[in-house]
Amino acid sequence: GTGEILGVFGAEGAGQQDLAKALYGLAKAAWKAFEIKGKAVNLKCPLDAIKSRMGYVPRDRKGEGLVIDYSVMENITLAALENYSGAGFMNPDKEKNVALRMVEDLRIKTTGIHTPVRVLSGGNQQKVVLGRWLSIDLGIIVLDYPTAGIDVQAKEEVYRILRNLSDKGTSVLLITPEYEEIKA
């Protein structure tokens, strides 16, 4: 089925970042549990969120979203390392193939999957963060101002990616201080 895109708009400092972090289990919440697709979940930490098929794109991509000295591939495969291993060993071919597919699908401009993300533009860094979550089957993704500090073309790419995610059945919660983004 089709997911939905829910926009949460508010002036800076109105608590949107707190909401995003609480939903993902990164901050204390005023609730015990909430529902994802009709199933009650109680997230105490980000690992619980990932197990509940929930992704999170923080506002501060360099400080919180990326491991800046890791490669494009390492950042993309970070959320689900168990998908690329068996019997305690990594499967480099599987990891490489997923990273290559994300680079192509998301049109990430990079010299290669082994390039450190620190040398990418802000828009391409943000696509790497999105690629991490698109490489696994998500029920919901929470994005805290995912277009902060990226150019107009990169913003359009992010919107395209989010619409595709929604069309594939993932629910999208978009938190932004920009009213224009809610309308897009």
Side-chain angles (χ1 to χ4, degrees):
T2 303
E4 61 182 346
I5 300 179
L6 174 64
V8 177
F9 165 74
E12 285 295 304
Q16 305 97 309
Q17 280 185 287
D18 296 336
L19 171 65
K21 288 184 175 184
L23 282 170
Y24 200 64
L26 283 165
K28 193 156 175 51
W31 56 80
K32 285 265 187 253
F34 60 96
E35 287 187 1
I36 298 178
K37 306 226 176 194
K39 185 181 172 196
V41 290
N42 180 6
L43 309 180
K44 294 184 183 74
C45 67
L47 193 57
D48 290 344
I50 293 170
K51 286 177 183 170
S52 296
R53 298 179 49 240
M54 183 177 185
Y56 170 60
V57 175
R59 180 172 304 209
D60 177 7
R61 79 183 140 263
K62 285 187 181 170
E64 297 177 42
L66 295 164
V67 182
I68 207 73
D69 289 322
Y70 278 23
S71 70
V72 168
M73 179 180 75
E74 289 167 321
N75 272 281
I76 286 173
T77 58
L78 198 59
L81 289 174
E82 70 278 1
N83 290 353
Y84 312 105
S85 62
F89 296 99
M90 291 299 286
N91 181 334
D93 288 341
K94 193 172 181 186
E95 193 179 16
K96 181 179 164 188
N97 289 338
V98 167
L100 287 168
R101 191 179 85 239
M102 287 297 113
V103 166
E104 186 178 333
D105 288 356
L106 304 184
R107 303 176 194 158
I108 299 170
K109 291 185 180 80
T110 177
T111 53
I113 59 172
H114 299 294
T115 301
V117 291
R118 74 178 123 71
V119 304
L120 272 57
S121 70
N124 284 296
Q125 287 178 348
Q126 191 64 302
K127 288 193 239 176
V128 168
V129 176
L130 288 168
R132 173 181 308 154
W133 300 114
L134 270 67
S135 68
I136 56 181
D137 179 32
L138 285 185
I140 185 170
I141 186 166
V142 177
L143 303 105
D144 183 5
Y145 198 7
T147 58
I150 62 176
D151 64 40
V152 174
Q153 185 180 353
K155 281 185 180 188
E156 288 302 319
E157 286 283 301
V158 168
Y159 299 149
R160 177 186 66 81
I161 292 163
L162 296 181
R163 282 191 292 271
N164 286 347
L165 256 180
S166 173
D167 290 344
K168 289 177 182 166
T170 299
S171 296
V172 176
L173 179 61
L174 172 64
I175 296 170
T176 179
E178 291 185 30
Y179 181 66
E180 292 302 311
E181 292 208 340
I182 298 295
K183 295 194 314 188

